[in-house]
Each structure stands twice: as structure tokens, then as C-alpha cells.
Amino acid sequence: MVYEMERGTFPKPPKSGLHTIGLTDISHYLEVGQLAANFKSNTLFVHTDQRSRKNETIKSQVTMLLNALKNSDTNLTISEPKQQALPPASLQSFLKKLNISGVFLSDYESNFTNRYYHSRFDILNNTLDQPVPSVVTEEEFSVLASPLVEYLTNASSVLAKTLYNLATNQSSQNVTVNQDIVSQLLYCFTRSSNCSLLQTVLPPKSVKGLRDNQVSHVADFYVGTDREATNTISFIVKYILAYFTGDILNVNTTEGDCTNLQKTDPIFNFYWMNGHRNNDNSTNTFSGLCVKSTSNYSEAKSPAFFIDNYDWKSGEYSSWSESSWGNDVGLRVFLVASEQHKTATLSVGVILLLLSLIGVYFINLRADLLFTTMRMP
């Protein structure tokens, strides 16, 4: 992103009317990191870059940003770690190119509190004190996960009010966060993708796929390194952002109208969503929605892969790679003996060695009798 902003090519959607965003267009930077693992502390830690704050202008801007965060919500304790380096964050990429006021929000002060971060065990039941059953309704889930939902709601309120205050320079006291929506999002992402929210915001074909899969499952969070197909989680997030930040068009707008608008409008994207369930005693009919939004994809490809004669040893840009399976997948199985079998094998081998040494000793001692050389007459 920083590389594209420097060259005036961000964002790069298929819409020709969008203005590009440069580094100088950014006044403040707020980044959200790990939040859920330490929710019981009811504390939100605000990390800043100590070196950039040596600049008096940046220091005053960061102070203003910190005050906006601290004044935005009284339900959370806003804490700033003192004299500590900035944790690993995307903010560092921006600071390398531009001295900017920015903060990194997390639930930890100095070390990660989530032992399973980004692993297969980074699941909800390893975060909550009371495990959530694999099959649970949205209403039951909102009760079981209420402490975490409340913490995330308060953290969202801090972020929303701060952004509103910075963008408008007006009071943000009337800005509220709907806790029910937070609970629905958490349920959809951590317990089952076949949830009421995704049945509303996704296209009809995708909703049909969710219904056809009778097993409760969550979307695959795997992103990959370089894939032509859009990963599932990005697809879902795009439609959720469009639904909550876009404009819902007239109820008489048809799917065909929505498709034509998408083809002709130079700036906005138009998404046809499944919509809300009709109140006509039918369980399988939905109203359909056409949503006008700027929600879109932007390819996140490292510049290392398209810069001519790039120095791979420089480490300036990420160059992650991963192994991939071909069509000729094979499998070899190696059996490992049990501890008892290995102990028995070693013991028998030692005994045979000792017996062999004893036998050789006595044979050598009586060799003149055992191996008498016959003399020719």
C-alpha cells in the first residue's frame, strides 16, 4: 500500500472515477491489533512510536489523538505503555516513509497475550472461560459470549468516536455501537457462517451454498500468498462493509437494474444482496437488496515481485513463499516402533554382543586345541 501511495496508484479498482490516495492525504493513523485474548482486563493499550514523537509537531498531534481516545469512552481503561518501542504493526511501514501521528491499539502492554495467535488453535473456545458448544443458536451465543462481546463493543465505540471526532472536529457523544451487531459478527466469524447476517448481505447464490451445507462451519481464514481467486473471508468482509457503509437503493430496484448500474457507474460499486426475509409465512423468500458502495478489493502484492532487479537480500519488502501441492500428490508412511519394542531390540542386541565377545574369547583361548593343524606324513 505504501509503495502504491508513493507512486499515486492506490487504490487500483476497476472504477476509473475514483481519486487516488497519497501519503500526504493521511493526517492520522489508527491501527487495531489483537483485542480478544485479554478482554477480561477491560483495558485498551495505545502504543505509539517514541522516535517520531521527538518531533514537536508530531508529538502534539499524537497527544491530541491520545486525548481523543481517552475521552471517547468511560467503560474501558485507556492505557499508554511508557518508554516502549512500537510493537510489530503496519504503522511502521508508513513511518519509514513519512513522519506521521499514529497509534496502535491492542489488548496487551508489552507481550502477546494470545498463545495461539494465527494458529489453528486461535479459536473462540481458547479465549472464553466457558466453552461455546459446536451447535448453538445466535441467541444462546450472545449470552455465552457476552463478556467478550461487551469488550469488543466498547473497543469499537472508542474507535468510532475517535474517528468521528478527528474527521469532523465535533462532539462524538451521539455515536453509538450496536452490541447486537457485534454479537452477530462474532457468531458469523467464529461459530457458523450460516448466520442471519450473512444470509442478508451475501448474494443469493452464496446464501444457497450456506443453506446446502448442513454442517455448522466458519469461513476459511486462510489468505494465501498469491492467488487469482478471491479468498472467502475477503469476499464476506467486502459485502459486510458494503452493507453497513453503503446506501440501500429503492426497494423497486431489481437485480438486473443493479447489474446495469455496476457496469455503467464510474465510481461506485453496486452489490445485489439476498436481503431480508419476507413476512409472508414463507421461509425461503427474501426481498433482495441493491447496495451502492465504495467497498472494493485492492491487490496486496509485495513490490518485491514486480520491481526490476530487486535486491532480495535487502529485506525492504516482504517476499514470503510457501510450498504448494501439485497434481501428483504422493504419500509415504514410515512406521515408528514403540518404546517397548526399541528397548527390547537394544537389550537383545547388547546381550548378543556380550555373548559373542565371550564366545570369541574362549575360542581364541582354546584355538590350539580346536584348530589343530594336520601335518603331512
Side-chain angles (χ1 to χ4, degrees), residues 317-374:
Y317 299 108
S318 61
S319 54
W320 297 104
S321 61
E322 63 179 3
S323 58
S324 58
W325 296 95
N327 295 326
D328 54 343
V329 178
L331 178 67
R332 290 190 297 172
V333 179
F334 298 89
L335 297 179
V336 178
S338 64
E339 291 297 326
Q340 295 82 356
H341 186 273
K342 290 188 288 186
T343 302
T345 302
L346 178 62
S347 301
V348 172
V350 171
I351 293 172
L352 290 176
L353 175 62
L354 294 176
L355 291 176
S356 299
L357 292 175
I358 295 171
V360 169
Y361 172 78
F362 283 105
I363 290 174
N364 184 60
L365 190 65
R366 299 289 187 268
D368 55 335
L369 298 176
L370 296 174
F371 308 103
T372 304
T373 303
M374 297 185 63

Side-chain angles (χ1 to χ4, degrees), residues 28 160-173 175:
H28 302 284
K161 290 182 177 181
T162 302
L163 291 174
Y164 182 85
N165 178 265
L166 293 173
T168 64
N169 199 27
Q170 297 179 5
S171 173
S172 58
Q173 296 305 314
V175 177

Side-chain angles (χ1 to χ4, degrees), residues 97-318:
K97 303 295 182 180
L98 182 70
N99 210 0
I100 188 175
S101 62
V103 297
F104 176 75
L105 308 178
S106 73
D107 64 352
Y108 60 88
E109 183 173 8
S110 57
N111 299 309
F112 276 129
T113 52
N114 185 355
R115 295 182 299 165
Y116 309 108
Y117 188 67
H118 277 190
S119 73
R120 67 176 62 189
F121 301 109
D122 193 3
I123 56 178
L124 189 64
N125 281 349
N126 286 331
T127 301
L128 298 174
D129 292 331
Q130 180 181 1
V132 177
S134 56
V135 179
V136 61
T137 65
E138 295 185 46
E139 291 75 17
E140 294 170 338
F141 177 85
S142 64
V143 175
L144 294 172
S146 58
L148 176 58
V149 171
E150 183 178 354
Y151 175 81
L152 293 177
T153 301
N154 292 333
S156 301
S157 177
V158 169
L159 188 61
K161 290 182 177 181
T162 302
L163 291 174
Y164 182 85
N165 178 265
L166 293 173
T168 64
N169 199 27
Q170 297 179 5
S171 173
S172 58
Q173 296 305 314
N174 294 328
V175 177
T176 59
V177 177
N178 190 322
Q179 185 166 322
D180 291 335
I181 294 178
V182 176
S183 178
Q184 289 177 10
L185 287 168
L186 191 63
Y187 179 84
C188 295
F189 283 120
T190 65
R191 187 50 64 208
S192 175
S193 296
N194 190 17
C195 56
S196 59
L197 177 61
L198 294 189
Q199 287 182 8
T200 299
V201 306
L202 292 182
K205 289 183 179 180
S206 300
V207 173
K208 183 179 183 301
L210 293 176
R211 290 206 202 99
D212 291 343
N213 190 342
Q214 298 299 321
V215 181
S216 296
H217 70 288
V218 295
D220 186 6
F221 281 79
Y222 174 75
V223 176
T225 53
D226 188 9
R227 301 167 60 179
E228 293 183 2
T230 303
N231 59 77
T232 305
I233 200 68
S234 297
F235 177 81
I236 291 175
V237 169
K238 181 182 75 168
Y239 273 84
I240 289 177
L241 288 174
Y243 179 75
F244 286 114
T245 64
D247 298 323
I248 300 177
L249 301 189
N250 190 288
V251 293
N252 296 323
T253 304
T254 65
E255 184 175 3
D257 296 333
C258 202
T259 303
N260 291 332
L261 288 169
Q262 171 65 13
K263 293 178 181 178
T264 57
D265 194 282
I267 298 178
F268 294 97
N269 286 300
F270 295 82
Y271 301 102
W272 182 253
M273 301 180 181
N274 199 46
H276 302 285
R277 193 184 300 275
N278 291 322
N279 298 321
D280 56 358
N281 297 325
S282 174
T283 59
N284 293 317
T285 60
F286 291 79
S287 59
L289 294 175
C290 184
V291 177
K292 172 185 175 182
S293 171
T294 56
S295 173
N296 208 328
Y297 296 124
S298 182
E299 186 180 33
K301 190 172 183 179
S302 172
F305 295 100
F306 53 79
I307 294 178
D308 293 334
N309 301 318
Y310 175 71
D311 183 8
W312 296 96
K313 296 181 181 180
S314 67
E316 182 178 4
Y317 299 108
S318 61

